[in-house]
Amino acid sequence: MPVRLFDDDVRARLDAGTAVRAMRTAILAHYEGTVRAPPRVRADLGGGHLGFTAGQLREQELFGFRAYDTLVGAEQLVAVWNTRSGELTALVHGAELGARRTGAIGAVAVEVAAGPGPVRVGIVGAGAQAWTQLWAMLAIREVEEVVVAARRPERAEAFAHRAADELGVRTRAARTAEDAVRDRDVVIVATNSAVPVLDAAWIAPGTHVNTIGPKTASRHEVPAALAQRASVVITDSPAQAASHREPFVLAADGMVDLGAVLARAYRARSDHGLQFRRSGRDRSRPRRHTRTSSTPPVQCLRDRIG
């Protein structure tokens, strides 16, 4: 019988360190070709779609898929099979595994591309994706302070209290997004907004930005001007970036593979800063990206495997 896990099981069994190590291994293996993870597939259901992401771990003799929808927000499902026996080995129900995986990818990006040492973190958004980004980051960096802003101030207050109580990190709620992101080492943007929730001028030189929410040309939570200041834009899935039906506000053709950074085939960290960008919940080897502007850059990453 397959192992069956639900959200409460994932919360109890999957700690941040384990999640980050697993995603670091998977991203590097994907870059080196031992993991197969093709672009997601969408089935149009009218008014929404059913999405599938799939992958195969050849060395571990495992393959599987994740299914999710944009129709009614149904429970997600992950299924894993053994390649040799064909047996179904695990079923995971719910959204918690996906959120923790996304957070772990963000932490890997901070680990290899943000400036060294303790970090001051600014967060725009107070939902599950914002939470798992911070949860995972604490496994790889000392966090001196967190400032969080949300459209509804009471949610930012609740997030700040929870982070202080459960994660033990000094956190305060900000009244505005500008207050949350100014003079930060790392900025996390995790919203559902179709319009930018911050101004590029608020992001200081040397800042690393993780963007989780919408980022297409027609719907994007960060402004296009932010990409123009970036020293590099990093993605954890170049194939996914290239296959998206609508162009991204951050040009896909100039993105660097996060796996290449992990493999030290590309040096992403910079004293001038960067911005890290991801395609979020639904959202080729690296090509070196150069810039000639005199404005100090920031750094970006995008797009998750699976």
Side-chain angles (χ1 to χ4, degrees), residues 14 22-23 34 62 79 120 129 171 191 240 249 273 280 290 293 297 304:
L14 181 59
M23 290 317 306
T34 60
L62 296 171
R120 299 160 300 162
Q129 296 292 333
T171 308
T191 75
Q240 181 64 40
V249 68
T290 59
S293 169
R304 110 181 147 244

Side-chain angles (χ1 to χ4, degrees), residues 22-46:
M23 290 317 306
R24 187 190 297 118
T25 299
I27 293 166
L28 185 59
H30 185 253
Y31 175 75
E32 293 175 340
T34 60
V35 167
R36 173 67 176 163
R40 74 184 75 237
V41 176
R42 298 175 179 86
D44 188 355
L45 302 179

